[in-house]
Amino acid sequence: MVGKLEIKALEKLLLHAGFLKRQPWKGSSHYVFSKAQKHISIPYRQPHILLVYVEMAIEALAEEFETEE
């Protein structure tokens, strides 16, 4: 069984890695996290988000840490 991740936990990880968070339109149900040329659009599903978005964030974070080395 896959554990559920809250959007706040993923947001904290992305912000700590230097991504910026914005909500494109007032009332939009998506948040966009961006850093340089990387953009991740995550729908806000309170309190948990879908696994596909977690995988996208992990991939972006992994690429970010690879470029730092």
Side-chain angles (χ1 to χ4, degrees):
M1 181 173 159
V2 176
K4 294 181 180 178
L5 183 69
E6 293 185 12
I7 185 95
K8 294 292 181 189
L10 186 60
E11 175 184 336
K12 188 175 181 179
L13 287 171
L14 290 168
L15 293 176
H16 183 72
F19 283 78
L20 300 176
K21 177 181 121 178
R22 66 182 170 86
Q23 192 174 11
W25 299 282
K26 271 192 166 177
S28 174
S29 62
H30 286 71
Y31 289 114
V32 177
F33 295 88
S34 57
K35 183 174 182 182
Q37 298 299 320
K38 295 179 188 130
H39 304 284
I40 304 168
S41 177
I42 301 176
Y44 182 72
R45 299 178 59 136
Q46 191 172 350
H48 303 108
I49 57 176
L50 297 176
L51 182 60
V52 66
Y53 299 106
V54 175
E55 291 170 347
M56 289 170 51
I58 289 171
E59 184 177 310
L61 288 168
E63 290 173 7
E64 185 64 30
F65 289 116
E66 284 175 3
T67 58
E68 286 183 5
E69 293 179 350

